[in-house]
Amino acid sequence: MRVLLIDEEATEREARAAWLREVGFQVAAVANVEAAKAEPLEPQLVMLRSRANREVLAADVRTLRSLDSCRAQPMVVMGEGLGQAVTALASGADDFWDEPMDAATFRFIARALKASRAPLAHPAPREPVIVVADDDNFFRERTKDALEECGCRVVAVSSGNELLEVLEAGPRPALVVLDFYMPGLGGRELLVRLKEDPRWSVVPVVLMSAVREDAAFAADLKRLGAAAFVGKASTDLPALVNLVMDQVSPPTLVRRRAPRASTFGLAQFRKSPDDPWMTGFVYNLGPSGAFLRTTVPAPLDSTVHVRLQVPQGVTNILAVARVAWSRGLSAAGDSYFGMGIQFAELSSEALRALADMVELHPVLPPPR
């Protein structure tokens, strides 16, 4: 994917260009909008980092929008504060990333953006069926959504026994995704059963877990016949999608052209109404919940209060959420925590505001 990066600060420009290349972008980095006019690269994405006042920022965005090479391309503006966000979006930008932004956060968003704009495959002659078994509603629906984005038909069940019933009813699935830790029949026992039954032994099986296991653990699952073992953080979803595309015949897969009904941005949260607000970053934000990246952990199944910043609005969205998963993560040497949160209390006004936020500030659709 080709990116035109505009940043007048040379050190920051080179650093961000390097971060973008690390996650697979082809980058042309220039100092200003005038230099962008002469850049021969035909970008698929325009990124403008601005420290200018709102009047200059608006003029820069409009100038870029007037260029043939940038007129129809998604544009991200990086700046500070609500004023710049409103100016950028009102002038024609598609997205606004609030700063300051560390390297890990920048790469995290860029990697997610790249995944959301993966190239389209040819239309599928048939839909491969994938069965997902996970006792956690949040993870099950999130995994189902990620795989449906590949053009697969997904049957999601909440237990090992339900999985066996689905398999008995047929038809034979193209792939099975199992949560390793489930009450009753767990992932390891199910894997052994499937590989010992000649009806299902040829079906690839992927094991998932929110607990990051060691290499010996993954090797043991491979010995039992698992196709792979992956984590359950939002950053592991691309790995799962790639596994599906490797295991299922590529001509059967297609990515949807429509954007997902979700968005991402900044959030604040606290464990109780008496605690101070702490800043985090949310991705895959929708009416049911979100993935929250933060430097402060919250325990599994605990309740957190969330305040979402809405650049296009005048008020914030307030919600009470349950922590569906919580564990330490790392990126490029930076330690942080990842949490999956499910909204437990969300007013009708907040739901409407969130729907408006998703509509105005969506995850970017794949290129046409």
Side-chain angles (χ1 to χ4, degrees), residues 116-157:
S116 74
R117 295 184 59 79
L120 293 170
H122 292 293
R126 62 179 178 85
E127 283 185 324
V129 177
I130 297 179
V131 182
V132 175
D134 195 328
D135 63 303
D136 189 293
N137 293 337
F138 183 79
F139 283 111
R140 186 172 64 251
E141 292 305 310
R142 185 213 62 176
T143 304
K144 181 176 184 288
D145 180 62
L147 296 180
E148 285 182 337
E149 287 290 316
C150 299
C152 298
R153 182 163 68 88
V154 180
V155 178
V157 298

Side-chain angles (χ1 to χ4, degrees), residues 324-341:
W325 62 267
S326 176
R327 64 181 176 84
L329 304 170
S330 64
D334 299 318
S335 297
Y336 59 94
F337 288 85
M339 294 190 295
I341 59 172

Side-chain angles (χ1 to χ4, degrees), residues 260-312:
R260 297 174 65 176
S262 63
T263 186
F264 52 82
L266 294 179
Q268 293 178 309
F269 78 100
R270 57 189 179 187
K271 299 177 186 178
S272 75
D274 297 327
D275 292 335
W277 288 105
M278 295 170 284
T279 299
F281 171 80
V282 290
Y283 178 69
N284 229 22
L285 169 63
S288 61
F291 303 115
L292 178 64
R293 174 201 180 278
T294 177
T295 56
V296 182
L300 181 68
D301 287 327
S302 64
T303 297
V304 293
H305 299 255
V306 183
R307 183 166 64 188
L308 306 171
Q309 298 181 12
V310 187
Q312 298 86 352

Side-chain angles (χ1 to χ4, degrees), residues 100-229:
M101 187 179 297
D102 59 28
T105 302
F106 185 90
R107 282 192 292 262
F108 178 78
I109 305 175
R111 194 175 288 114
L113 189 150
K114 182 174 182 289
S116 74
R117 295 184 59 79
L120 293 170
H122 292 293
R126 62 179 178 85
E127 283 185 324
V129 177
I130 297 179
V131 182
V132 175
D134 195 328
D135 63 303
D136 189 293
N137 293 337
F138 183 79
F139 283 111
R140 186 172 64 251
E141 292 305 310
R142 185 213 62 176
T143 304
K144 181 176 184 288
D145 180 62
L147 296 180
E148 285 182 337
E149 287 290 316
C150 299
C152 298
R153 182 163 68 88
V154 180
V155 178
V157 298
S158 59
S159 70
N161 287 329
E162 284 187 73
L163 169 70
L164 296 177
E165 291 173 5
V166 168
L167 294 178
E168 290 289 343
R172 189 174 69 190
L175 185 132
V176 172
V177 180
L178 298 177
D179 180 25
F180 188 82
Y181 297 102
M182 288 191 292
L185 289 174
R188 192 179 193 279
E189 185 177 353
L190 286 167
L191 173 64
V192 171
R193 285 199 185 191
L194 294 180
K195 293 305 172 182
E196 289 179 346
D197 191 320
R199 295 174 297 173
W200 321 120
S201 59
V202 298
V203 177
V205 178
V206 176
L207 275 296
M208 299 185 73
S209 173
V211 178
R212 188 69 72 180
E213 304 287 358
D214 58 23
F217 177 87
D220 180 58
L221 294 179
K222 283 272 192 178
R223 180 183 58 81
L224 294 173
F229 176 81

Side-chain angles (χ1 to χ4, degrees), residues 39-88:
E39 173 53 50
L41 178 78
E42 294 185 3
Q44 295 170 294
L45 174 69
V46 180
M47 302 184 75
L48 170 64
R49 182 172 180 266
S50 178
R51 289 294 178 271
N53 60 43
R54 295 174 65 175
E55 183 178 353
V56 173
L57 172 60
D60 284 345
V61 172
R62 294 190 184 107
T63 298
L64 288 169
R65 279 292 183 226
S66 70
L67 303 178
D68 290 340
S69 61
C70 303
R71 181 171 291 122
Q73 304 306 329
M75 184 186 302
V76 174
V77 172
M78 296 170 282
E80 294 184 14
L82 183 61
Q84 277 206 323
V86 172
T87 299

